[in-house]
Amino acid sequence: MTILIIGCRGQVGTELALQMKQRGREIIAVDLPEIDITDSSSVKNYIARPEVSLVVNAAAYTAVDRAESERELAFAVNAQGPGLIAESCRIGNIPLIHISTDYVFDGTKSSAYVETDPVSPVGIYGKSKAAGDSLVAGCLEKYIILRTSWVCSAHGANFVKTMLRLGNEKETIRVVDDQKGCPTFAHDIAEAIVTIAEKYLAEQELPWGCYHYCGKGETTWFAFAQEIFRQAGERRELKLKSLLPIPSSEYPSPVKRPMNSVLNCSKIIEKFGIQPRPWKESLQQTLNDLYLQESAITSS
Ligand SMILES: NC(=O)c1ccc[n+]([C@@H]2O[C@H](COP(=O)([O-])OP(=O)(O)OC[C@H]3O[C@@H](n4cnc5c(N)ncnc54)[C@H](OP(=O)(O)O)[C@@H]3O)[C@@H](O)[C@H]2O)c1
């Protein structure tokens, strides 16, 4: 039983391929350029392989700001792509685990978002992801859509790595303090997907549908940055002297972001027994991984 992982060089895909291999699972792990999810023959070429029994789509267009000027590409990758993947899965009767985002919501709700809340994305990225989710849900019965938020890891570009770079370069950094959400680390998302995949491979059945999964504990980008610098500062000296909170209105961006991105994870806890991990603990692990990578580079 082979699991096809699409988007295996992204933040989540990298961790997922690693954890699946560590568990001795047979995987086919692909990303651009081996597969292009906007091309139906490229998608079929992998999903129609007889050994494939489960597909995970971790591929996406994730540049939230750039999406405003690259609407067509964002929709091709985040909407048409998952649509093509779902269509191939339907033909082969293969279940699909597809990853989605908190940005399908507009952030105006005062409490945490549950799976049944209506989507109302504000930017192109959120709109393209919501369109992809709806194509997946409309095409397949056997699907899991896993919505997550504020993804960070030791690989790829993300908020933690940006803050660490700025903390080494600048004495003053301003960070938005009026958007709240839950940082989620790619290794935890991968662990949640592994749990879901293992359950499917053991039982050939799942409580299909949409689930929310994010790190435990809500915060703001500013408080997240404070914690990054607190933990990083214990390990090394930073150039940073002053971290200042600012409102979203003072942050230059072509797109409005949700003010509230907090996801309620009760459903995944209840149906799969998956417990969100405290994000501060996962941050510690990610900083360990980052510093290990760095010392490996400097000592080689
Ligand atoms: N990042 C976040 O903060 C965040 C927050 C909430 C939800 N999510 C969701 O979580 C999932 C994983 O995100 P991530 O942060 O791991 O993303 P990521 O690091 O940007 O990785 C996405 C991967 O997809 C690949 N890709 C792009 N276009 C493709 C195409 N046409 N065909 C095949 N592969 C393609 C990318 O390749 P290139 O790098 O070569 O383009 C990249 O390797 C996505 O569904 C995302 O929407 C992310």
Side-chain angles (χ1 to χ4, degrees), residues 176-227:
V176 168
D177 195 30
D178 55 5
Q179 293 169 23
K180 61 178 178 176
C182 302
T184 313
F185 287 79
H187 49 78
D188 298 331
I189 302 170
E191 243 177 72
I193 295 172
V194 167
T195 302
I196 295 169
E198 295 282 354
K199 186 173 168 67
Y200 172 70
L201 296 176
E203 300 170 13
Q204 296 293 297
E205 195 40 76
L206 282 181
W208 306 108
C210 178
Y211 290 86
H212 288 175
Y213 176 79
C214 60
K216 187 173 176 184
E218 62 177 71
T219 187
T220 66
W221 290 113
F222 172 74
F224 186 15
Q226 269 184 322
E227 181 63 17

Side-chain angles (χ1 to χ4, degrees), residues 228-249:
I228 293 167
F229 292 126
R230 191 193 67 74
Q231 290 194 19
E234 284 173 359
R235 296 156 201 252
R236 67 164 53 158
E237 211 176 314
L238 299 161
K239 185 164 185 191
L240 179 72
K241 302 269 179 293
S242 162
L243 181 66
L244 301 172
I246 54 164
S248 302
S249 54

Side-chain angles (χ1 to χ4, degrees), residues 144-164:
I144 299 286
I145 291 174
L146 195 67
R147 287 194 194 125
T148 189
S149 61
W150 295 22
V151 178
C152 295
S153 82
H155 314 276
N158 56 61
F159 185 75
V160 172
K161 290 174 75 178
T162 302
M163 285 302 117
L164 291 177

Side-chain angles (χ1 to χ4, degrees), residues 6-13 30-32 35-39 57-63 73 76-78 98-103 125 129 146-152 155-158 186 189 221:
I6 306 175
C8 70
R9 287 190 279 281
Q11 297 192 82
V12 175
V30 285
D31 203 314
L32 274 176
I35 190 171
D36 178 354
I37 63 168
T38 67
D39 172 358
N57 180 34
Y61 177 104
T62 54
L73 181 59
V77 179
N78 291 342
H98 173 68
I99 309 173
S100 189
T101 173
D102 52 325
Y103 279 28
Y125 167 73
K129 290 294 291 182
L146 195 67
R147 287 194 194 125
T148 189
S149 61
W150 295 22
V151 178
C152 295
H155 314 276
N158 56 61
I189 302 170
W221 290 113

Side-chain angles (χ1 to χ4, degrees), residues 29-82:
V30 285
D31 203 314
L32 274 176
E34 312 88 79
I35 190 171
D36 178 354
I37 63 168
T38 67
D39 172 358
S40 78
S41 60
S42 170
V43 167
K44 276 187 208 144
N45 177 37
Y46 283 99
I47 298 183
R49 293 187 185 190
E51 68 270 30
V52 171
S53 19
L54 179 65
V55 176
V56 181
N57 180 34
Y61 177 104
T62 54
V64 176
D65 284 354
R66 212 166 60 228
E68 296 302 306
S69 54
E70 291 186 342
R71 187 183 195 282
E72 228 171 276
L73 181 59
F75 268 85
V77 179
N78 291 342
Q80 279 109 308

Side-chain angles (χ1 to χ4, degrees), residues 247-269:
S248 302
S249 54
E250 283 180 26
Y251 180 77
S253 167
V255 61
K256 225 178 109 200
R257 286 173 163 74
M259 301 305 269
N260 173 23
S261 262
V262 179
L263 300 174
N264 177 314
C265 299
S266 302
K267 186 177 169 193
I268 204 166
I269 297 172

